[in-house]
């Protein structure tokens, strides 16, 4: 009996020692969500890396391309006799003033106008506060905000940073603390800052050519019908415009509709002969 118990115990230990250890339950891995970025195409446009669309900053400007024009802004440590104005265009370079080429604001994206009151008149100073060349794009996927930094020079630090926030509301706010070493911060809330929103209609050269062609033909037909009068020349009676043009147009229309046999167009010149 004891020998039988020993054999059972020995068989039990051999079975337990030979079985592989139980592995812990595997937890299914959650796929990591890919963060979206915006790849710069040019100084005014970028493409979302996740394929959600294109952000075109040109849709934020007015008919002249300005987001703000001569906008008064507040700044710290500015005397009461000084006024600060800002002009900013997200895409189109401009110059301030337009009739003076010696200004610091020549082909810029942002221009700061500092106006000092002196002897009952304003003395204006124009300061370059950023260009389109060399601007840097950075997209924040969590806040849906595209930040664009506009440097004064391509190798200098940005002087103006604009945050374009994708929002159903429309508002523009400015930071009050800026200077030589601190860039001007502009917050722009707009639905046009969202991908594929506020798309602009692109009129290509083919469309322009068709418009000019249609306008020319319309003007020719209207003026021709008004001035369709016969006049006598050395070779006979003629009509301006030529009567063969009207016969050709009538023939084309009748041929398309009824496929009728072609008829000869007789001119007044032949009838008078």
């Amino acid at each position: 009996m004891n020998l039988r118990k020993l054999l059972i115990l020995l068989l039990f230990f051999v079975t337990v020692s030979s079985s592989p250890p139980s592995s812990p339950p595997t937890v299914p891995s959650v796929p990591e969500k890919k963060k979206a970025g915006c790849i710069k195409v040019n100084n005014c446009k970028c493409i979302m890396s996740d394929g959600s669309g294109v952000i075109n900053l040109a849709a934020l400007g007015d008919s002249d391309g300005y987001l703000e024009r001569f906008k008064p802004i507040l700044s710290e440590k500015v005397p009461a006799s000084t006024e600060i104005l800002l002009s900013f265009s997200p895409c189109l370079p401009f110059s301030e003033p337009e009739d003076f080429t010696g200004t610091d604001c020549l082909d810029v994206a942002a221009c700061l106008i500092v106006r000092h009151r002196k002897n009952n008149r304003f003395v204006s100073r124009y300061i370059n506060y950023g260009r389109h060349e060399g601007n840097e794009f950075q997209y924040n996927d969590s806040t849906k905000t595209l930040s664009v930094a506009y440097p004064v020079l391509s190798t200098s630090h940005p002087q103006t940073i604009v945050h374009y926030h994708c929002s159903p509301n429309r508002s523009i706010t400015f930071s009050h603390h800026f200077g030589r070493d601190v860039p001007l911060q502009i917050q722009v809330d707009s639905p046009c800052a969202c991908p594929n929103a506020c798309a602009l209609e692109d009129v290509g050269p083919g469309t322009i050519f068709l418009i000019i062609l249609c306008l020319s033909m319309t003007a020719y037909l209207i003026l021709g019908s008004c001035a369709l009068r016969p006049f006598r020349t050395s070779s006979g009676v003629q009509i301006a415009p030529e009567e063969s043009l009207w016969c050709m147009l009538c023939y084309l229309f009748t041929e398309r509709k009824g496929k009728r046999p072609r008829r000869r167009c007789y001119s007044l010149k032949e009838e008078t002969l």
Side-chain angles (χ1 to χ4, degrees), residues 15-155:
T15 305
V16 172
S17 60
S18 61
S19 62
S22 60
S23 58
T26 59
V27 179
S29 60
V30 179
E32 184 180 358
K33 184 180 179 180
K34 184 179 180 180
K35 293 184 178 180
C38 205
I39 303 172
K40 179 180 176 181
V41 177
N42 52 34
N43 296 331
C44 187
K45 185 187 301 183
C46 65
I47 299 178
M48 300 298 295
S49 60
D50 59 354
S52 58
V54 178
I55 299 179
N56 190 359
L57 301 180
L60 296 166
D62 57 9
S63 58
D64 295 327
Y66 290 96
L67 181 66
E68 290 288 358
R69 185 80 186 274
F70 303 127
K71 174 70 175 180
I73 59 176
L74 301 176
S75 177
E76 298 177 353
K77 301 179 181 180
V78 173
S81 60
T82 301
E83 184 181 12
I84 298 180
L85 307 176
L86 175 70
S87 294
F88 174 74
S89 174
C91 294
L92 299 179
F94 66 93
S95 300
E96 291 288 356
E98 297 179 352
D99 55 349
F100 182 56
T101 58
T103 178
D104 189 27
C105 293
L106 184 62
D107 295 333
V108 297
C111 181
L112 204 68
I113 302 103
V114 181
R115 303 174 62 185
H116 302 278
R117 181 181 293 274
K118 186 177 181 181
N119 298 330
N120 294 327
R121 67 185 186 92
F122 281 104
V123 178
S124 300
R125 180 188 175 192
Y126 299 87
I127 304 175
N128 176 10
Y129 241 67
R131 299 182 184 273
H132 298 96
E133 292 79 8
N135 59 356
E136 297 181 357
F137 285 55
Q138 186 176 2
Y139 187 78
N140 191 330
D141 186 39
S142 59
T143 60
K144 307 299 179 184
T145 301
L146 174 65
S147 300
V148 182
Y150 299 90
V152 175
L153 300 174
S154 59
T155 57

Side-chain angles (χ1 to χ4, degrees), residues 38 46 48 54-57 59-60 139 143-146 163-170 187-198:
C38 205
C46 65
M48 300 298 295
V54 178
I55 299 179
N56 190 359
L57 301 180
L60 296 166
Y139 187 78
T143 60
K144 307 299 179 184
T145 301
L146 174 65
H163 307 281
Y164 302 96
H165 177 221
C166 176
S167 171
N169 304 320
R170 296 178 182 267
Q187 179 72 28
V188 180
D189 296 333
S190 173
C192 295
C194 304
N196 286 349
C198 305

Side-chain angles (χ1 to χ4, degrees), residues 3-4 28 36 41 87 106 134 160 163 181 188 200 203 207-208 215 222 228 271:
L3 181 59
R4 185 178 180 182
V41 177
S87 294
L106 184 62
T160 300
H163 307 281
D181 299 327
V188 180
L200 298 176
V203 180
T207 306
I208 297 175
L215 291 178
I222 293 175
L228 191 62
E271 293 178 358

